[in-house]
Amino acid sequence: MVVDVRLEKVTKKFGKTIAVDSVDLYIKKGELFGIIGPSGCGKTTTLRLIAGLEFPDEGRIFFGEKDVTFSKPYERNTAMVFQNYALWPHMTVYENIAYGLRLRKLTENEVRRRVKQVLELTKLEGLENRYPTQLSGGQQQRVALARALVVEPEVLLLDEPLSNLDAKLRVEMRGELRNIIKTTGITAIYVTHDQEEAMSICDRIAIMNKGRVIQVGDPKELYFNPKSFFVATFMGKSNVLKGMIKETDPMFVELDGLQLRLDRKIDDKLVGKPVYVVIRPESIKIVRENIDYAENIIEGEVTSISFLGSHYLLSISIGSIVLQAYAEASERLSKGDEVKVRIDPKDILVFEEQD
């Protein structure tokens, strides 16, 4: 049975340290939900609370209409995929996957049926008699996932499941992992420190910091419409500058002598006050044509250039300001080149300096 998951004002303390601070979360039925944040933000503790490996000091946890706040892990019908996979090295792939079913006293016919089904789902057919040490990292990860799925949990919990893979395999496994989980229709909660990984896998994401949930939304919402300076700078790369709002209609921000027009709704109370300005590198576009009528076209010098395969990462010096920007690999650019760039007014994010 697929269930939704609710956390209501959940708090967990370890001594004087508040690891999870009055967290409210709602995870929909069948949703692949991510929890991300910097180290020590409380994301893994939140997952352990949902699993029943920790109990909250305050608040309630619900699976559907069932209050599981103080239920034991085995009473919650969850399954977890750990960072290190936790496979039994002395057992074959088949035995590792069947282990949880045998603990539940299922008949051998039912065990065989379910293991066969999940082997097909995770593309592990033909590897049943191998031991974990005979498998690649990606295959071990799929065995750990198969072992979790075969018990047909109401909620699947994943704690940094791809972190032990090399960079190339990690990227390849993202789509495969999402497809497998979405095929089952199960409610899944995915914890990672990797923002790009979360955005590529999850339907919605909660961003945590210092034990609190800062913002919840789908990946595009969090990336393009962050509600706070923390979210804006945590999601993806960004240029962070200090400035001052100077005008209200149209609205401009002044950055050490440079004026940029803004095209986002900004509170009038910020006029005349210092602010943080966040501009993503992909929002800074190289301009080749003469389009002087467009807004926010500025000239600068390329002070460093790094080739990253599909694109360049540039440092562009504009007076006392240095901006990081991307450029297509097809651009013929060198250090010292004078360039024109345009920053779209709608791509400039502004936050109170005290944020």
Side-chain angles (χ1 to χ4, degrees), residues 175-315:
E176 191 171 331
L177 183 64
R178 176 177 168 82
N179 288 339
I180 291 169
I181 293 172
K182 297 304 285 185
T183 297
T184 67
I186 199 170
T187 304
I189 303 171
Y190 191 104
V191 162
T192 179
H193 68 277
D194 188 322
Q195 307 99 301
E196 186 178 302
E197 183 174 296
M199 287 192 287
S200 68
I201 288 174
C202 300
D203 300 319
R204 286 191 308 141
I205 300 168
I207 299 179
M208 293 188 68
N209 189 36
K210 297 179 181 178
R212 289 184 170 271
V213 172
I214 307 301
Q215 188 174 347
V216 178
D218 65 51
K220 286 184 179 179
E221 179 185 352
L222 295 175
Y223 193 81
F224 292 112
N225 295 297
K227 292 180 180 177
S228 70
F229 176 72
F230 174 82
V231 175
T233 52
F234 184 76
M235 296 294 283
K237 289 181 170 57
S238 54
N239 296 285
V240 179
L241 307 164
K242 286 190 175 182
M244 184 85 71
I245 301 294
K246 304 297 284 187
E247 303 287 343
T248 56
D249 188 25
M251 192 167 277
F252 286 85
V253 62
E254 185 174 281
L255 307 166
D256 200 9
L258 176 67
Q259 281 202 339
L260 295 175
R261 181 161 131 31
L262 306 174
D263 196 24
R264 283 174 176 255
K265 183 172 176 57
I266 294 172
D267 198 319
D268 288 344
K269 72 178 183 180
L270 294 182
V271 176
K273 292 186 178 179
V275 292
Y276 283 125
V277 177
V278 177
I279 305 170
R280 302 200 185 279
E282 64 268 26
S283 298
I284 302 170
K285 308 290 188 185
I286 301 288
V287 175
R288 292 298 190 187
E289 302 83 10
N290 291 320
I291 51 171
D292 294 333
Y293 62 86
E295 298 158 312
N296 294 353
I297 290 183
I298 47 184
E299 295 184 0
E301 179 187 345
V302 177
T303 52
S304 74
I305 182 166
S306 301
F307 180 62
L308 302 178
S310 61
H311 61 281
Y312 290 108
L313 175 62
L314 311 174
S315 291

Side-chain angles (χ1 to χ4, degrees), residues 77-145:
N77 194 20
T78 63
M80 184 175 279
V81 179
F82 294 95
Q83 184 173 347
N84 62 0
Y85 312 140
L87 301 177
W88 297 107
H90 62 288
M91 292 183 180
T92 64
V93 168
Y94 183 96
E95 291 165 341
N96 264 284
I97 297 171
Y99 183 76
L101 299 176
R102 287 175 175 152
L103 285 180
R104 288 163 170 77
K105 309 293 187 187
L106 272 64
T107 66
E108 277 304 308
N109 282 340
E110 180 63 11
V111 170
R112 279 193 296 272
R113 185 190 70 80
R114 287 213 209 171
V115 172
K116 181 177 183 295
Q117 189 177 50
V118 81
L119 284 168
E120 292 173 357
L121 177 65
T122 54
K123 299 178 183 176
L124 290 167
E125 308 104 305
L127 302 178
E128 298 92 323
N129 297 319
R130 290 194 189 180
Y131 290 88
T133 54
Q134 298 173 311
L135 303 175
S136 68
Q139 289 167 338
Q140 289 184 46
Q141 191 272 336
R142 281 186 276 143
V143 174
L145 181 60

Side-chain angles (χ1 to χ4, degrees), residues 342-354:
R342 179 174 185 266
I343 304 172
D344 196 313
K346 71 176 184 299
D347 291 340
I348 301 172
L349 305 170
V350 175
F351 302 95
E352 287 188 72
E353 192 173 285
Q354 295 77 17

Side-chain angles (χ1 to χ4, degrees), residues 22-23 54 111-112 156 160-161 185 190 204 247 254-255 272 287 316 324 328 330 336:
S22 194
V23 163
E54 302 284 354
V111 170
R112 279 193 296 272
L156 177 65
E160 303 270 10
Y190 191 104
R204 286 191 308 141
E247 303 287 343
E254 185 174 281
L255 307 166
V287 175
I316 300 174
Q324 301 290 306
E328 296 295 327
S330 58

Side-chain angles (χ1 to χ4, degrees), residues 16-32:
K16 293 183 179 179
T17 301
I18 303 175
V20 176
D21 189 359
S22 194
V23 163
D24 288 309
L25 277 179
Y26 175 63
I27 296 130
K28 303 170 188 175
K29 291 181 181 180
E31 186 171 36
L32 208 173

